[in-house]
Amino acid sequence: MVDLSVKIAGICLKNPVMVASGTFGFAREYSRMFDVNELGAVVTKGITLLPKEGNPPPRLFETTAGLLNSVGLENPGVEGFIRDEWPYLKTLQVPVIVNIAGETVEEYRRITQCLSPLEGISALEVNISCPNVEKGGMAFGRHPDSAYEVVRAVKEQSPFPVIAKLSPNVSDIREIALAVEEAGADAVSLINTILGMAVDVEKKRPVFKRVFAGLSGPAVKPIALRMVYEVYEAVRIPVIGMGGIFSWRDAVEFILAGASAVAVGSAIFSDPVAPLKIIRGLEDYAARNLQTRISDLVGLAHRNAAEF
Amino acid sequence: MVDLSVKIAGICLKNPVMVASGTFGFAREYSRMFDVNELGAVVTKGITLLPKEGNPPPRLFETTAGLLNSVGLENPGVEGFIRDEWPYLKTLQVPVIVNIAGETVEEYRRITQCLSPLEGISALEVNISCPNVEKGGMAFGRHPDSAYEVVRAVKEQSPFPVIAKLSPNVSDIREIALAVEEAGADAVSLINTILGMAVDVEKKRPVFKRVFAGLSGPAVKPIALRMVYEVYEAVRIPVIGMGGIFSWRDAVEFILAGASAVAVGSAIFSDPVAPLKIIRGLEDYAARNLQTRISDLVGLAHRNAAEF
Amino acid sequence: MHQAEIILNEKVAHSIYLLRLRANKVAEGANPGQFLHVKCTKGPHPLLRRPFSIAGAHREEGTADIIYRVVGEGTSILSKKRPGEVLDIMGPLGRGFPLPLPGTLPLIVGGGVGVAPLLFLAKELNKAGLVGRAFLGFSTAREAFGKEIFETCGFSVELTTDDGTHGKRGFPTELLEDYLKSEKKVKAIVYACGPRMLLLKVKEIAVSFGILAYLSLEERMGCGIGACFGCAVKSAKGGYKKVCWDGPVFEAGEVEIW
Amino acid sequence: MHQAEIILNEKVAHSIYLLRLRANKVAEGANPGQFLHVKCTKGPHPLLRRPFSIAGAHREEGTADIIYRVVGEGTSILSKKRPGEVLDIMGPLGRGFPLPLPGTLPLIVGGGVGVAPLLFLAKELNKAGLVGRAFLGFSTAREAFGKEIFETCGFSVELTTDDGTHGKRGFPTELLEDYLKSEKKVKAIVYACGPRMLLLKVKEIAVSFGILAYLSLEERMGCGIGACFGCAVKSAKGGYKKVCWDGPVFEAGEVEIW
Ligand SMILES: Cc1cc2nc3c(=O)[nH]c(=O)nc-3n(C[C@H](O)[C@H](O)[C@H](O)COP(=O)(O)OP(=O)(O)OC[C@H]3O[C@@H](n4cnc5c(N)ncnc54)[C@H](O)[C@@H]3O)c2cc1C
Ligand SMILES: Cc1cc2nc3c(=O)[nH]c(=O)nc-3n(C[C@H](O)[C@H](O)[C@H](O)COP(=O)(O)OP(=O)(O)OC[C@H]3O[C@@H](n4cnc5c(N)ncnc54)[C@H](O)[C@@H]3O)c2cc1C
Ligand SMILES: Cc1cc2nc3c(=O)[nH]c(=O)nc-3n(C[C@H](O)[C@H](O)[C@H](O)COP(=O)(O)O)c2cc1C
Ligand SMILES: Cc1cc2nc3c(=O)[nH]c(=O)nc-3n(C[C@H](O)[C@H](O)[C@H](O)COP(=O)(O)O)c2cc1C
Ligand code: FES
Ligand code: FES
């Protein structure tokens, strides 16, 4: 029997496969299709202090093996979240991680305060990497100082463990990872989407009104994997890896590269039960490789790289 | 009749479709398959001062809709190039752009001096963005100051126009573009490959000995396109766009985003005559859109974005 | 999500295919206007599913149809599938067309492949003992399909083509407008599906004649079940609605189409 | 680059297929050991072509064969192609096996699907009036193929399987070694293709018996024609050689296999 459980930021997950923020709504939507309690953890759509309309359509555009999104953090705001979504989420038997975003450090602080009373939140994931909003978001995640500031502010208020979600749109992601570790983050998650765009050749203009959008999906996997590998070497806090995970094989690559857990995002649109298939695939892989604990695989590629 | 000609860095191209450095060898290889004089321009494999062995195999690895390479600038060195490759290249009736790389600023300077006597070189493309070498390469292209220094050094020595080839592995590519413009670059080309990696799940170690490799191909197109769009707004020198161009439609996207010319790289491996098909596709597109000059399409997406 | 066997995948007009699936759940539960979210390949590209309106459900046979136009990669892959192969589908999804109030005349306006869900609607209306009129528009004669089915359902059908090669030259919305002008006292309800311009025009006509219109909208979709906020359409009350969850069928006044 | 019609695409052993193409240029010009660089899809994924050794060329019919094992995405797509479909191929590419000097006995060592190019070689040797011995290894009985063809070409064939389900249990290199030990005076030349371990072992044996060996190597390929420096193999003289251009067949002493 393989022990799939992992521990991150003080949370115990029965398996290392979570869903990525923004691709799984508030879990309720997919709970109509399968038992979401089979997941390692659920991560909510990003929540802001006030409700957010989001961006005008189109919000999605497919690229080769990738997906551009410009959702723009549409969400019901923290009050709406607590009123409409939390009652269902708190019934889940798996850890629930709430993803939060803000335009100012003060907003991050206040949203943390609003969420603090909710018993049952397992962790906050601090989104300092959303490329689809006018203010805040990725702007914080591109500089070590502002990343530090936001995470520090959340950490000061939060009764929950804090995961910092990093942006890949930087020269050196290790710098940012070190800054948030310094600020007290209990874990880092990466990557958020990569800034990209598409042009409509008939209309001769950008597909998206905001011109740029965030790229996710299998296309970005090699980049995400590299960043996980880099960050694993730079920090001591656990790394949650994501970006283009489509199959158990991808998940194994991330784990070997240093991810203590992984998140599946865009692949869910292709196959809602992809995370469950990945869990089973991981189990088989570990068994085949005579590992009794999946956690023994974390970062193994680093040790083996040294020898080759 | 559509006029496909464009002018970049003082060079006249009869059409805007070039091949990307490193994917077309020294043109001779593909000249056995088709008439390379139909291309807009030929760009050579990167040349260094001394011959370079390159990296141990494996050097290539396919990812979803992408290609990781760790060739490591294997090349015969500038002398070998002049002796073995230039005699053929100089017979071509299309502009030949020589791609150069070095580990130190001094090396860039000296290789430029070595190439200076070669009449018939149309331009030098200064590779400050190769991710596959121990020293130099991308290290220069990740910081505005070092990018400036290299391009300045080449520009001082070069009797030919100078194109700076930028790295996408940066927080803000506009900064680098501005620095090389300031240094006197006559054009910029982008993007070089994006740093990525792959893990061999059976061997449990990185696929490449150097761990990281450069990602190219359709997977990176949305990112490349975004960077071309950004750089077009930042600088006044012409932009040569590349990264994942697979069809004429992709080429049109780059042109509308601000590329005065485009280069086809990895797609050539899939279809050696892809550049020729793209030229024909561009011609049809322009005709369908009642454009008599392809150059009138350059950057059109910016003007149209403002109105929408 | 289920694996549905393909029973039939045939051309019914130029670049238009009818695909029939063995899918009991769909056959039993589907309402006209709902859609299936279809995976075109197993591989990672194209990544997203493709939404297609349900064009018919045959409860007895346990089968359901979609009718699709080949426009790009996904539909081109679909068109090459053969009977016996299995298709991964989600659905029936979304909110369909509400049936008309008693005494109301259903007027159907369809453009191009937008006719697909309206075929299913006509059959269900017919089952409910209701018939009406259908105004169908196509680009050109060889792309026309579905006329006979509306007729079988007791609908009187008028056709237009953009190029005049079949039926009247022009648009089906012109026929709708002419009809409403000529039949001032009729108590009608409009059901429409087709290109954006058609829906916009239908909305305009509905407003000016003061009648109810239900429009089936299209937007690019990710999840198809309301989780990703990807398929937004501007709500008349401000903010956005989700085409996959709040629609795809909306009362014309609920949404801003442009 | 040409578009070659598929004449045949059939399973010849467990997960091993023979694909026959109408390809005059290949049929006429190919030498054993050369390869075709095959595009498996039109789309952008998988991006790269796949190299396959030419397993036979039929000049009169204008056809050529490859034999491939289904191991991943590309070969799985290939295995679904049907006769009549067209395949985009480049080739014949690379440098093949040199024919033996007069009076030299050709010894063929093949492992798994590596047997493919050796079939073509045996036929050409036979045409040149030369016959020899073939030592073939497979994982298991149901994956074995090609024995009869070698026999038709006048070769005496010995087989091994890893699990002993067919022929001797063990590896074909053991048979080679045994043979060379027993036939000390024979003037032989070895031709080998198969997994890396097999090639390494053949090289070792060739060195220890002081005979010439030609090995067909594999490396991941981009361009297939010497332009991208992607398919490097370490040269014994330092630096690298290109499998696609300098090979895929190398004299064992030219290259460092590990
Ligand atoms: C609710 C709904 C019902 C539909 N019903 C039908 C139908 O009955 N018959 C029919 O032929 N078509 C229908 N469509 C449109 C159909 O989904 C697209 O034609 C199809 O997705 C195109 O896929 P493709 O890969 O061939 O084209 P692509 O090459 O991907 O794209 C062609 C165009 O199709 C659209 N498209 C692509 N992906 C999606 C997506 N995930 N969601 C929405 N639009 C997309 C884009 O606007 C794109 O420009 C419906 C769409 C929606 C939203
Ligand atoms: C000169 C040469 C001749 C060959 N001849 C044969 C033959 O006759 N019969 C046969 O079955 N196989 C042959 N191969 C191997 C064959 O090319 C691979 O099995 C095939 O490319 C796998 O493709 P895939 O998409 O199914 O597998 P993938 O899922 O892509 O990969 C499976 C493995 O195949 C290898 N591979 C993938 N792409 C390439 C590539 N572009 N170049 C080289 N290796 C690759 C990789 O090592 C990979 O790990 C030959 C290879 C070379 C270099
Ligand atoms: C439609 C969509 C919405 C997203 N919304 C959020 C969000 O609200 N907060 C966040 O931190 N990340 C968000 N992301 C990013 C994902 O959580 C994830 O980091 C990214 O998509 C990479 O993973 P993937 O390639 O598996 O999708 C979103 C991604 C998509 C595709
Ligand atoms: C195998 C390979 C070798 C390359 N070698 C070089 C090089 O020598 N110099 C350089 O500037 N870029 C080199 N590149 C980068 C390409 O020129 C191009 O910038 C990049 O591949 C993106 O374009 P593409 O997606 O069309 O391939 C190489 C790319 C590949 C795939
Ligand atoms: S497609 Fe995801 S919310 Fe509609
Ligand atoms: S595959 Fe390009 S050099 Fe061999």
Side-chain angles (χ1 to χ4, degrees):
Chain A
M1 261 298 290
V2 179
D3 177 7
L4 287 177
S5 70
V6 294
K7 205 168 163 178
I8 302 166
I11 328 165
C12 289
L13 312 186
K14 68 170 182 277
N15 69 62
V17 181
M18 340 197 306
V19 289
S21 175
T23 62
F24 205 70
F26 298 100
R28 213 164 14 137
E29 299 83 357
Y30 280 103
S31 70
R32 299 176 195 111
M33 297 197 62
F34 67 91
D35 182 4
V36 298
N37 286 314
E38 288 188 39
L39 295 168
V42 156
V43 184
T44 69
K45 171 71 192 161
I47 301 295
T48 50
L49 191 60
L50 300 177
K52 242 181 130 60
E53 271 207 356
N55 294 329
R59 289 179 173 184
L60 299 178
F61 189 82
E62 226 181 348
T63 65
T64 306
L67 171 62
L68 285 165
N69 92 76
S70 177
V71 168
L73 281 182
E74 172 168 348
N75 82 88
V78 70
E79 278 183 30
F81 169 75
I82 295 173
R83 184 184 61 236
D84 301 331
E85 307 296 347
W86 182 244
Y88 169 75
L89 284 167
K90 77 171 174 205
T91 68
L92 293 183
Q93 281 121 52
V94 289
V96 174
I97 297 168
V98 179
N99 183 282
I100 60 172
E103 292 183 4
T104 61
V105 175
E106 188 48 30
E107 269 187 36
Y108 280 98
R109 200 190 309 273
R110 289 189 42 211
I111 188 172
T112 307
Q113 289 166 344
C114 296
L115 292 169
S116 293
L118 301 193
E119 270 175 57
I121 288 184
S122 290
L124 298 183
E125 183 177 53
V126 188
N127 178 357
I128 48 171
S129 43
C130 179
N132 295 321
V133 289
E134 210 58 62
K135 281 177 283 183
M138 187 176 72
F140 290 115
R142 273 176 126 166
H143 301 284
D145 295 348
S146 50
Y148 176 92
E149 234 194 306
V150 171
V151 172
R152 184 86 228 142
V154 172
K155 187 67 193 167
E156 276 167 8
Q157 303 296 325
S158 173
F160 318 116
V162 171
I163 301 163
K165 180 148 179 191
L166 307 184
S167 169
N169 302 292
V170 297
S171 297
D172 188 348
I173 196 163
R174 290 169 300 188
E175 263 178 42
I176 317 288
L178 281 166
V180 300
E181 178 177 48
E182 178 74 24
D186 301 286
V188 286
S189 59
L190 59 145
I191 59 172
N192 208 315
T193 54
I194 304 181
L195 216 50
M197 76 174 289
V199 172
D200 183 323
V201 301
E202 299 310 327
K203 298 189 179 134
K204 301 189 190 61
R205 66 179 196 205
V207 163
F208 296 104
K209 293 245 166 68
R210 284 176 44 76
V211 181
F212 303 143
L215 184 67
S216 62
V220 308
K221 195 199 73 178
I223 303 169
L225 194 63
R226 180 261 298 182
M227 291 186 166
V228 165
Y229 194 94
E230 287 180 321
V231 168
Y232 177 80
E233 291 195 341
V235 299
R236 272 154 310 161
I237 50 179
V239 177
I240 301 168
M242 70 196 76
I245 295 178
F246 193 79
S247 70
W248 64 264
R249 214 174 256 282
D250 300 324
V252 170
E253 286 194 66
F254 275 88
I255 291 170
L256 294 169
S260 296
V262 297
V264 183
S266 310
I268 294 177
F269 302 156
S270 166
D271 183 2
V273 296
L276 306 187
K277 290 182 183 164
I278 289 171
I279 294 166
R280 258 159 258 143
L282 281 181
E283 195 163 9
D284 293 347
Y285 173 82
R288 246 191 345 269
N289 286 275
L290 308 171
Q291 300 284 341
T292 48
R293 288 183 312 185
I294 197 94
S295 53
D296 291 341
L297 291 168
V298 176
L300 207 54
H302 294 262
R303 271 155 280 156
N304 293 340
E307 291 160 17
F308 117 84
Chain B
M1 262 299 289
V2 178
D3 176 7
L4 286 177
S5 71
V6 294
K7 205 168 162 178
I8 302 167
I11 326 165
C12 289
L13 310 187
K14 68 171 181 279
N15 68 62
V17 182
M18 339 197 306
V19 289
S21 175
T23 62
F24 205 69
F26 298 101
R28 218 172 2 146
E29 299 82 358
Y30 279 104
S31 71
R32 298 176 196 112
M33 297 197 59
F34 67 90
D35 182 4
V36 298
N37 285 314
E38 288 187 39
L39 296 168
V42 157
V43 183
T44 69
K45 170 72 193 159
I47 301 296
T48 50
L49 191 58
L50 299 177
K52 241 180 131 59
E53 269 207 357
N55 295 331
R59 291 181 173 182
L60 299 178
F61 189 81
E62 227 181 348
T63 64
T64 305
L67 171 62
L68 284 165
N69 92 77
S70 178
V71 168
L73 280 181
E74 173 170 347
N75 81 88
V78 69
E79 276 183 32
F81 168 74
I82 294 174
R83 185 185 59 236
D84 300 331
E85 306 296 348
W86 181 245
Y88 170 75
L89 284 167
K90 78 172 175 199
T91 67
L92 293 184
Q93 280 121 52
V94 289
V96 174
I97 297 169
V98 179
N99 183 281
I100 60 172
E103 293 182 5
T104 61
V105 175
E106 189 47 31
E107 270 187 36
Y108 280 98
R109 200 191 310 273
R110 291 198 29 218
I111 189 174
T112 308
Q113 289 167 343
C114 296
L115 291 169
S116 292
L118 300 193
E119 270 175 59
I121 289 184
S122 290
L124 298 183
E125 183 177 51
V126 189
N127 178 357
I128 48 172
S129 42
C130 179
N132 296 321
V133 288
E134 212 58 62
K135 281 175 284 181
M138 187 177 72
F140 291 115
R142 272 176 127 167
H143 301 284
D145 294 348
S146 50
Y148 177 93
E149 233 194 306
V150 171
V151 173
R152 183 87 229 141
V154 173
K155 187 66 195 170
E156 277 167 8
Q157 302 297 327
S158 174
F160 318 115
V162 170
I163 301 164
K165 181 148 178 193
L166 307 183
S167 168
N169 302 292
V170 295
S171 296
D172 188 348
I173 197 164
R174 290 168 301 187
E175 264 177 44
I176 317 289
L178 282 167
V180 300
E181 179 177 47
E182 179 72 24
D186 300 286
V188 285
S189 58
L190 59 145
I191 60 172
N192 209 315
T193 54
I194 304 182
L195 217 49
M197 76 175 287
V199 172
D200 184 321
V201 301
E202 300 309 328
K203 299 190 178 133
K204 301 190 190 62
R205 66 179 196 205
V207 163
F208 296 104
K209 293 244 167 69
R210 287 177 43 77
V211 183
F212 303 144
L215 184 67
S216 61
V220 309
K221 195 198 74 178
I223 304 169
L225 194 63
R226 180 262 296 181
M227 291 187 166
V228 165
Y229 194 94
E230 287 181 322
V231 168
Y232 177 79
E233 290 194 342
V235 299
R236 273 155 309 160
I237 50 179
V239 177
I240 301 167
M242 69 197 76
I245 294 178
F246 193 80
S247 70
W248 65 264
R249 217 174 255 282
D250 300 324
V252 170
E253 285 193 68
F254 275 86
I255 292 171
L256 294 170
S260 297
V262 297
V264 183
S266 310
I268 293 177
F269 301 155
S270 167
D271 182 1
V273 295
L276 306 186
K277 289 181 182 163
I278 289 171
I279 294 167
R280 257 161 258 142
L282 281 181
E283 194 164 9
D284 293 347
Y285 173 83
R288 248 189 346 269
N289 286 275
L290 307 173
Q291 299 285 343
T292 48
R293 289 184 311 187
I294 199 92
S295 54
D296 291 341
L297 291 168
V298 176
L300 207 54
H302 295 262
R303 270 156 279 158
N304 293 341
E307 293 161 17
F308 116 88
Chain C
M1 241 175 43
H2 15 272
Q3 307 299 319
E5 192 197 331
I6 297 173
I7 310 277
L8 202 109
N9 191 14
E10 284 184 358
K11 220 179 203 174
V12 293
H14 180 71
S15 77
I16 310 267
Y17 288 74
L18 179 135
L19 189 143
R20 178 160 299 161
L21 294 165
R22 178 158 328 280
N24 278 308
K25 208 186 116 193
V26 182
E28 277 160 28
N31 294 317
Q34 288 190 300
F35 68 96
L36 299 180
H37 212 24
V38 176
K39 207 163 139 107
C40 301
T41 58
K42 278 203 189 116
H45 174 82
L47 183 64
L48 297 179
R49 286 168 183 265
R50 301 293 190 251
F52 299 101
S53 299
I54 298 166
H58 317 285
R59 195 171 297 211
E60 322 75 55
E61 292 92 3
T63 64
D65 299 345
I66 60 173
I67 295 178
Y68 61 95
R69 171 198 291 278
V70 175
V71 293
E73 230 173 327
T75 46
S76 153
I77 294 168
L78 266 193
S79 70
K80 279 167 201 137
K81 305 246 179 213
R82 296 163 209 240
E85 288 185 62
V86 149
L87 209 58
D88 181 328
I89 59 171
M90 288 166 65
L93 301 175
R95 211 180 58 160
F97 294 104
L99 289 192
L101 293 177
T104 321
L105 179 75
L107 300 177
I108 281 176
V109 187
V113 76
V115 165
L118 303 169
L119 292 170
F120 187 18
L121 176 66
K123 285 185 213 155
E124 293 296 304
L125 288 173
N126 177 277
K127 274 195 204 161
L130 297 162
V131 293
R133 292 177 163 267
F135 308 109
L136 311 178
F138 299 94
S139 325
T140 188
R142 60 181 186 159
E143 294 185 8
F145 69 96
K147 184 166 188 277
E148 320 70 48
I149 297 179
F150 284 106
E151 286 168 349
T152 318
C153 295
F155 277 64
S156 67
V157 183
E158 284 176 82
L159 262 166
T160 65
T161 47
D162 299 0
D163 61 2
T165 47
H166 190 25
K168 223 176 128 179
R169 179 192 213 103
F171 301 107
T173 45
E174 295 162 9
L175 301 178
L176 172 70
E177 202 166 5
D178 290 349
Y179 178 78
L180 289 170
K181 273 185 190 154
S182 65
E183 303 278 339
K184 289 240 168 60
K185 324 161 297 299
V186 74
K187 209 173 142 230
I189 180 169
V190 180
Y191 297 104
C193 186
R196 220 161 261 239
M197 279 304 292
L198 178 146
L199 300 179
L200 205 64
K201 190 75 196 160
V202 166
K203 181 170 173 172
E204 226 179 86
I205 295 170
V207 169
S208 81
F209 286 88
I211 57 179
L212 213 53
Y214 286 93
L215 315 178
S216 178
L217 302 196
E218 288 192 10
E219 194 46 70
R220 294 203 184 102
M221 284 187 187
C223 66
I225 62 164
C228 75
F229 297 94
C231 59
V233 55
K234 224 172 172 47
S235 159
K237 299 204 199 95
Y240 294 96
K241 292 196 169 262
K242 294 169 181 170
V243 170
C244 72
W245 181 251
D246 302 309
V249 174
F250 293 93
E251 195 275 299
E254 283 179 273
V255 287
E256 286 178 22
I257 300 173
W258 217 260
Chain D
M1 239 175 44
H2 16 271
Q3 306 299 318
E5 192 196 333
I6 297 174
I7 312 276
L8 203 109
N9 190 15
E10 283 184 359
K11 220 180 205 175
V12 293
H14 180 71
S15 76
I16 310 265
Y17 288 74
L18 178 136
L19 189 143
R20 178 159 299 163
L21 293 165
R22 179 160 323 284
N24 277 309
K25 210 187 113 191
V26 181
E28 278 161 30
N31 295 317
Q34 288 190 302
F35 68 96
L36 299 181
H37 212 23
V38 176
K39 207 164 140 112
C40 300
T41 59
K42 279 201 187 120
H45 174 82
L47 184 64
L48 297 180
R49 287 171 182 263
R50 300 293 189 252
F52 298 100
S53 299
I54 298 165
H58 317 285
R59 195 172 294 210
E60 323 73 55
E61 293 91 3
T63 64
D65 299 345
I66 59 173
I67 295 177
Y68 61 96
R69 172 197 290 278
V70 176
V71 293
E73 230 174 326
T75 45
S76 153
I77 294 169
L78 265 193
S79 71
K80 280 168 199 133
K81 305 246 177 209
R82 295 163 211 241
E85 289 185 60
V86 150
L87 209 58
D88 181 328
I89 59 171
M90 286 165 65
L93 300 176
R95 211 181 56 160
F97 294 104
L99 289 192
L101 291 177
T104 322
L105 179 74
L107 300 178
I108 282 176
V109 187
V113 76
V115 165
L118 303 170
L119 291 171
F120 186 19
L121 177 66
K123 285 185 214 157
E124 293 297 305
L125 288 173
N126 176 278
K127 274 195 203 160
L130 298 161
V131 291
R133 292 178 163 266
F135 308 107
L136 311 179
F138 300 94
S139 325
T140 188
R142 61 181 184 157
E143 294 185 8
F145 68 95
K147 183 167 187 276
E148 319 70 50
I149 296 178
F150 284 106
E151 286 170 348
T152 317
C153 295
F155 277 64
S156 66
V157 183
E158 283 177 82
L159 262 165
T160 64
T161 47
D162 299 359
D163 60 1
T165 48
H166 190 24
K168 222 176 129 180
R169 182 194 210 103
F171 301 106
T173 43
E174 295 162 8
L175 301 178
L176 172 70
E177 204 167 1
D178 291 349
Y179 177 77
L180 288 171
K181 273 185 192 155
S182 65
E183 303 277 340
K184 288 238 170 62
K185 322 161 299 295
V186 74
K187 211 175 141 226
I189 180 170
V190 181
Y191 298 103
C193 186
R196 221 163 263 239
M197 279 305 290
L198 178 144
L199 300 179
L200 205 62
K201 190 74 195 156
V202 167
K203 181 171 172 170
E204 230 179 85
I205 296 171
V207 169
S208 83
F209 286 88
I211 57 180
L212 214 52
Y214 286 93
L215 314 177
S216 178
L217 303 195
E218 288 192 10
E219 195 44 71
R220 295 202 183 101
M221 286 186 185
C223 67
I225 61 164
C228 76
F229 297 93
C231 59
V233 56
K234 221 166 173 52
S235 160
K237 299 204 200 92
Y240 294 96
K241 294 200 169 256
K242 295 170 181 170
V243 170
C244 71
W245 182 252
D246 303 309
V249 174
F250 294 93
E251 194 276 299
E254 285 180 273
V255 287
E256 286 178 23
I257 301 172
W258 216 261

